Amino acid sequence: MKNVGEVPQEELATGERSTRNRVARSILDHGPSTVTDLAGRLGLTPAAVRRHLDSLVAENVVEPREQRIYGARTRGRPAKAFALTDCGRDAFDQSYDTLAVDALRWIEQNAGGEAAVAAFARARIEAQAVAYREAVEAAAPEERTEALAKALSADGYAATARNAPVGEQLCQHHCPVAHVAEQYPQLCEAETEVFSRLLGTHVQRLATIAHGDEVCTTFIPKTTPPSGSASTAGRNPA
């Protein structure tokens, strides 16, 4: 077995995220749960459970509640139970993912193949992009990536913008359609094309949550391409 120090940081981060998801899933399956409940079900130490719960509370996925006491009260303060928030429950509502995949599969098989799926993906993101375009056009040129990140965050993408060598990176820390995009990368490709048009430059998609990465990352170079050149919006990594 490897020592912790030998494990790559990205592997550790993935493991932490996976365990947090297990904690949240256990609460979804069993209802409001105490630290002791979760530790027993998941085979974790109470300290580890508390650490993951702290992260989930900070992300507004779970919230602490006073545990209901039935019958005679025992001494001491009642243990807090942790329950999913509406946001956390929405994140686990896989029935919508299944419905979306089924709908796209039907479109692919009965209404024009991959081209029809791509057309749907473009129409979907174009409808979303109305608000994004307003935010970007209202910002100064040097603040447009930040403005796009804020607009995306308002739609649930938890996006940030940061400086990078010779450009900027737009990072989306959550993707509401990640499970669907795993099977239909046209959703990612259409989104990248829209980012390119909104920001007025070619962009390159470096990573996607749908592809198994921790964050959807799009690179925006500082210099715009010469006028008249074709857009080279990056495709979802294969």
Side-chain angles (χ1 to χ4, degrees), residues 136 139-147 161 163 168 199:
V136 169
E142 67 276 10
E143 297 175 352
R144 287 182 173 175
T145 303
E146 178 68 31
N163 290 325
E168 295 176 287
L199 297 172

Side-chain angles (χ1 to χ4, degrees), residues 36-59:
T36 302
D37 294 333
L38 291 163
R41 286 199 296 262
L42 300 174
L44 299 170
T45 65
V49 170
R50 289 191 188 92
R51 185 178 74 252
H52 291 300
L53 286 171
D54 286 344
S55 296
L56 291 167
V57 169
E59 295 168 3

Side-chain angles (χ1 to χ4, degrees), residues 1 33 46 86 119 146 197 216 228 231 234:
M1 180 179 293
S33 306
D86 289 341
E146 178 68 31
R197 289 200 299 275
C216 294
S231 170

Side-chain angles (χ1 to χ4, degrees), residues 38-232:
L38 291 163
R41 286 199 296 262
L42 300 174
L44 299 170
T45 65
V49 170
R50 289 191 188 92
R51 185 178 74 252
H52 291 300
L53 286 171
D54 286 344
S55 296
L56 291 167
V57 169
E59 295 168 3
N60 194 32
V61 174
V62 304
E63 60 185 2
R65 297 178 180 174
E66 291 297 333
Q67 190 178 23
R68 291 182 178 180
I69 304 296
Y70 298 95
R73 286 183 177 271
T74 58
R75 289 185 177 181
R77 297 178 61 186
K80 277 190 171 61
F82 290 83
L84 287 180
T85 63
D86 289 341
C87 177
R89 191 171 295 279
D90 288 345
F92 276 105
D93 202 343
Q94 299 299 319
S95 61
Y96 291 114
D97 290 343
T98 301
L99 176 62
V101 170
D102 288 346
L104 287 174
R105 185 177 295 117
W106 190 93
I107 290 172
E108 183 177 24
Q109 294 174 352
N110 298 281
E114 291 186 5
V117 174
F120 168 83
R122 287 193 295 271
R124 172 187 171 275
I125 191 61
E126 286 289 354
Q128 285 183 239
V130 172
Y132 306 161
R133 184 172 291 105
E134 291 176 357
V136 169
E137 290 179 353
E142 67 276 10
E143 297 175 352
R144 287 182 173 175
T145 303
E146 178 68 31
L148 178 56
K150 290 180 179 178
L152 286 166
S153 292
D155 256 356
Y157 289 87
T160 58
R162 64 188 185 193
N163 290 325
V166 301
E168 295 176 287
Q169 285 187 352
L170 177 66
C171 300
Q172 294 157 263
H173 300 270
H174 176 65
C175 176
V177 297
H179 295 291
V180 182
E182 287 177 15
Q183 298 186 49
Y184 291 98
Q186 294 95 328
L187 295 171
C188 299
E189 293 164 7
E191 182 182 78
T192 307
E193 291 169 3
V194 163
F195 289 172
S196 177
R197 289 200 299 275
L198 290 175
L199 297 172
T201 183
H202 72 284
V203 302
Q204 183 180 6
R205 185 57 65 88
L206 303 179
T208 64
I209 294 172
H211 187 249
D213 301 297
E214 287 294 307
V215 179
C216 294
T217 306
T218 305
F219 174 71
I220 302 102
K222 286 182 179 176
T223 55
T224 57
S227 60
S229 65
S231 170
T232 56

